[in-house]
Amino acid sequence: MAMTRRTFLQLAAAATAVAASPASFANPLGLPIGFQSYVFRKSVATDFEGTMKGLVAAGFSTVELCSPYGYSDFASLQKYKPRELHDLLKGWGLDCFSAHWGGKELFQETDKSIAYAKEFGMTQMAIAALGPFNAKGNETLDDVKRYVDEFNTFAEKANAAGIIPMLHNEGFVSKTIEGKKVYDVMITELHPAVKLQFQVSTMQDGFDPVTYLTKYAGRFQSMHCQDWVKDASTKSGFRQVSIGKGVVDWKAVFAAAGKAGVKNYFVELEEDPALMAPSVPYLKKLKV
């Protein structure tokens, strides 16, 4: 996952393609093209500046961070004060208004985490999954509501501080209990201030992004974008590819996202960082 020579060459090639693209081509919905930093978690520790500048050269203009205190791979960023880290990214050409946080940070260190986000200048705080990391299979709907209550307590404080609390739909969130999808139960029980961030790859588990963006229009703030093809040689049966090279109907997804009120999106192709940069030219040209 480090910044390999292959990844560097991909970034350089994408930068050339972006520079050659006609200025009339618009990004989907006119939104900046963002990336989730988790994809580059190894190179963040070894060459933070080079990685970020390379992604800017490739055409990305926003980054969603992972908390330096909740994600061990980002611990090297603890040496920066929140505003200092913000200013570094800004100086390299990246806006950053969002991050993913660990459960302990949000539920046990709530005030400290919100204070960090405020000092940094963030307007979104997300959690990747809500509930047990390794579900035992005996969880009940009452358990689901208990997990939501804990998140709602955080959400009230974040909202009062002017920050949007967000739920991402991976892990336990994508389970089914007593014939009901946990995700839908959680959405119903969430505090009104909570917004949603849709993980497009959960389409593989039956969570169609167009369906959810339409059904819960107004609840979605953000998306994580993945693309893939079927591949029987992999454990999952799928293999990630650059955005626009796989099975996802991106025109339909972004059209639904626009109607749903989505404000930002981040490309996240963690299976291979070299897939990230080639995604940019497609997004630059995609008209919705």
Side-chain angles (χ1 to χ4, degrees):
M1 296 296 253
M3 180 62 77
T4 63
R5 182 173 183 275
R6 178 181 174 224
T7 303
F8 177 81
L9 291 174
Q10 290 277 15
L11 289 171
T16 300
V18 170
S21 297
S24 59
F25 285 149
N27 303 336
L29 310 180
L31 298 176
I33 300 175
F35 69 93
Q36 224 299 335
S37 58
Y38 188 75
V39 177
F40 298 95
R41 58 193 179 277
K42 299 305 180 186
S43 57
V44 160
T46 58
D47 185 12
F48 181 47
E49 181 176 357
T51 300
M52 297 299 105
K53 286 184 175 179
L55 288 158
V56 171
F60 290 100
S61 56
T62 62
V63 54
E64 183 176 57
L65 284 179
C66 294
S67 166
Y69 296 92
Y71 286 74
S72 59
D73 288 313
F74 290 80
S76 61
L77 302 184
Q78 292 179 14
K79 63 185 176 183
Y80 303 113
K81 293 180 179 180
R83 196 65 195 178
E84 181 184 6
L85 181 55
H86 169 277
D87 291 346
L88 273 177
L89 292 168
K90 190 71 174 178
W92 297 333
L94 288 168
D95 286 328
C96 182
F97 47 80
S98 185
H100 273 221
W101 303 74
K104 180 180 178 181
E105 293 181 287
L106 299 189
F107 309 143
Q108 298 177 33
E109 302 169 351
T110 308
D111 294 339
K112 178 181 177 181
S113 299
I114 291 175
Y116 182 102
K118 287 289 290 183
E119 183 179 344
F120 185 100
M122 291 181 189
T123 56
Q124 299 177 177
M125 295 178 72
I127 190 166
L130 193 57
F133 184 76
N134 293 309
K136 297 179 180 178
N138 59 355
E139 289 81 10
T140 67
L141 291 178
D142 285 339
D143 290 325
V144 173
K145 293 177 180 178
R146 178 166 52 83
Y147 303 141
V148 173
D149 285 344
E150 190 172 39
F151 188 75
N152 283 343
T153 299
F154 153 74
E156 288 185 12
K157 287 192 173 184
N159 182 55
I163 294 175
I164 297 169
M166 289 197 309
L167 175 64
H168 186 77
N169 59 313
E170 287 193 87
F172 182 75
V173 179
S174 298
K175 299 293 184 181
T176 298
I177 295 178
E178 299 175 24
K180 296 184 178 181
K181 290 186 175 182
V182 169
Y183 192 33
D184 293 81
V185 174
M186 285 185 171
I187 291 173
T188 300
E189 298 290 331
L190 285 169
H191 188 284
V194 176
K195 294 291 186 178
L196 306 172
Q197 183 179 65
F198 196 87
Q199 172 86 349
V200 174
S201 64
T202 58
M203 183 176 169
Q204 298 168 6
D205 300 316
F207 293 83
D208 181 68
V210 174
T211 298
Y212 273 84
L213 290 166
T214 302
K215 182 178 180 180
Y216 297 106
R219 297 299 304 273
F220 285 95
Q221 174 80 6
S222 183
M223 295 192 303
H224 276 190
C225 299
Q226 299 84 18
D227 212 340
W228 61 89
V229 293
K230 291 185 177 181
D231 187 342
S233 69
T234 66
K235 183 178 180 180
S236 66
F238 304 97
R239 174 174 52 83
Q240 286 186 350
V241 294
S242 295
I243 302 297
K245 299 292 185 181
V247 302
V248 179
D249 183 347
W250 288 107
K251 190 167 186 176
V253 170
F254 276 106
K259 293 178 182 178
V262 168
K263 301 295 191 297
N264 46 77
Y265 71 94
F266 305 96
V267 180
E268 185 187 38
L269 297 162
E270 63 181 88
E271 288 182 9
D272 185 355
L275 297 172
M276 295 287 288
S279 298
V280 175
Y282 173 82
L283 292 167
K284 284 278 187 180
K285 296 177 182 178
L286 182 61
K287 295 181 180 180
V288 178

